[in-house]
C-alpha cells in the first residue's frame, strides 16, 4: 500500500495550542501555525467555545443568581453547546478531508475521532487551569490538589491517545469514516 503523508498537526502541537488558547496566551509559538491548518483553526474555536460555556455554567451555578438570570444563562449554555457540537462535526470533517488525500485500503476504522479527543482535551485543559487558579488564590484543600493531579494525569493520557491515533491515521493503520454527531437542540 502506498500513502501520501497528511499535513495533520501532531498531538503535541494541538495540545499546546489548546492550553495556550484556554490560558489566553495568543503569543505562543504554536499560534503562528493556525493560519496554515484548518484543523488548528477549528480546534482553537472549539477551545474558545468550551471556555465560554465553562464560564456560563459556573455563573449559572452561583447561588446568588436570580431565576431569570439563571434562565438567560441556560439559554446561553444551550446555544454554546449547540455550537460545540457543530465545531466537533466540522473538526471531524476536516480530519476526514485531510486523510482522504492518503491512500487507504482495507484498514480498520478508528472507533474514536481525533475531534472527540480534542474536545475532551480542551475541557481537561479548562479544568486544570481552573484548579490552578483556585490553588493560586488560596482556595484549595487536599481534595483540590488531588483533583489537579488526577486531571493532569488524565490530560497526559488523552494527549498520548491523540498522538497514537494521529500516527495510526497518518500511517494508514486506521482510517476515519464520515460521521456527524446528532444535533442536540432543534432551532425553532
Amino acid at each position: 500500500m502506498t500513502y501520501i503523508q497528511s499535513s495533520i498537526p501532531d498531538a503535541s502541537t494541538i495540545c499546546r495550542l489548546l492550553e495556550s488558547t484556554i490560558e489566553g496566551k495568543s503569543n505562543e509559538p504554536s499560534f503562528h501555525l493556525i493560519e496554515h491548518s484548518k484543523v488548528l483553526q477549528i480546534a482553537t474555536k472549539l477551545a474558545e467555545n468550551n471556555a465560554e460555556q465553562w464560564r456560563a455554567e459556573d455563573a449559572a451555578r452561583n447561588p446568588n443568581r436570580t431565576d431569570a438570570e439563571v434562565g438567560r444563562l441556560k439559554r446561553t449554555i444551550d446555544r454554546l453547546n449547540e455550537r460545540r457540537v457543530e465545531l466537533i462535526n466540522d473538526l471531524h470533517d476536516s480530519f476526514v478531508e485531510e486523510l482522504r488525500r492518503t491512500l487507504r485500503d482495507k484498514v480498520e476504522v478508528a472507533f474514536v475521532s481525533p475531534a472527540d479527543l480534542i474536545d475532551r482535551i480542551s475541557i481537561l485543559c479548562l479544568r486544570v487551569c481552573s484548579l490552578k487558579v483556585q490553588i493560586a488564590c488560596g482556595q484549595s484543600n487536599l481534595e483540590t490538589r488531588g483533583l489537579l493531579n488526577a486531571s493532569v494525569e488524565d490530560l497526559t493520557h488523552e494527549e498520548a491517545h491523540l498522538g497514537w491515533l494521529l500516527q495510526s491515521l497518518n500511517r494508514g493503520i486506521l482510517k476515519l469514516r464520515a460521521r456527524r454527531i446528532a444535533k442536540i437542540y432543534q432551532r425553532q
Side-chain angles (χ1 to χ4, degrees):
M1 183 181 325
T2 307
Y3 329 69
I4 303 166
Q5 190 70 16
S6 75
S7 60
I8 292 175
D10 63 48
S12 178
T13 299
I14 293 169
C15 291
R16 296 304 74 76
L17 181 68
L18 294 174
E19 289 171 358
S20 296
T21 300
I22 287 171
E23 293 173 359
K25 298 178 181 176
S26 59
N27 59 345
E28 294 290 319
S30 55
F31 267 83
H32 80 280
L33 301 171
I34 293 174
E35 64 188 58
H36 303 293
S37 170
K38 188 173 180 182
V39 166
L40 292 179
Q41 290 169 12
I42 297 169
T44 301
K45 288 177 186 175
L46 179 61
E48 291 167 345
N49 189 83
N50 284 345
E52 189 177 347
Q53 185 172 339
W54 181 282
R55 288 188 295 273
E57 288 170 349
D58 275 352
R61 285 190 285 273
N62 182 332
N64 298 324
R65 298 274 183 192
T66 66
D67 289 346
E69 291 172 320
V70 170
R72 281 191 296 278
L73 285 165
K74 292 295 187 177
R75 289 204 186 273
T76 298
I77 292 165
D78 287 350
R79 179 184 48 78
L80 290 166
N81 202 35
E82 183 176 359
R83 178 73 177 134
R84 176 177 166 253
V85 169
E86 290 170 3
L87 287 166
I88 293 169
N89 283 334
D90 291 348
L91 188 55
H92 179 79
D93 291 346
S94 292
F95 277 108
V96 169
E97 180 182 315
E98 181 62 41
L99 291 165
R100 275 199 185 122
R101 299 178 191 167
T102 62
L103 301 177
R104 307 265 190 254
D105 297 326
K106 298 180 185 171
V107 180
E108 293 293 320
V109 174
F111 179 71
V112 67
S113 169
D116 301 323
L117 291 174
I118 290 170
D119 178 56
R120 197 173 315 146
I121 289 168
S122 76
I123 292 168
L124 282 168
C125 288
L126 281 162
R127 184 174 203 184
V128 167
C129 188
S130 175
L131 291 169
K132 284 180 179 178
V133 167
Q134 286 179 27
I135 290 169
C137 293
Q139 303 170 349
S140 68
N141 55 28
L142 194 56
E143 182 182 355
T144 306
R145 292 180 189 280
L147 284 172
L148 176 60
N149 291 336
S151 296
V152 168
E153 188 176 310
D154 289 346
L155 188 56
T156 302
H157 172 79
E158 293 297 337
E159 182 177 341
H161 186 184
L162 179 61
W164 170 84
L165 180 58
L166 292 175
Q167 286 179 356
S168 297
L169 291 167
N170 277 324
R171 292 180 181 156
I173 298 167
L174 292 173
K175 65 181 176 183
L176 289 178
R177 66 173 181 80
R179 64 105 163 126
R180 304 292 290 168
I181 295 175
K183 291 253 179 169
I184 297 171
Y185 305 98
Q186 296 293 324
R187 292 181 192 234
Q188 306 213 356

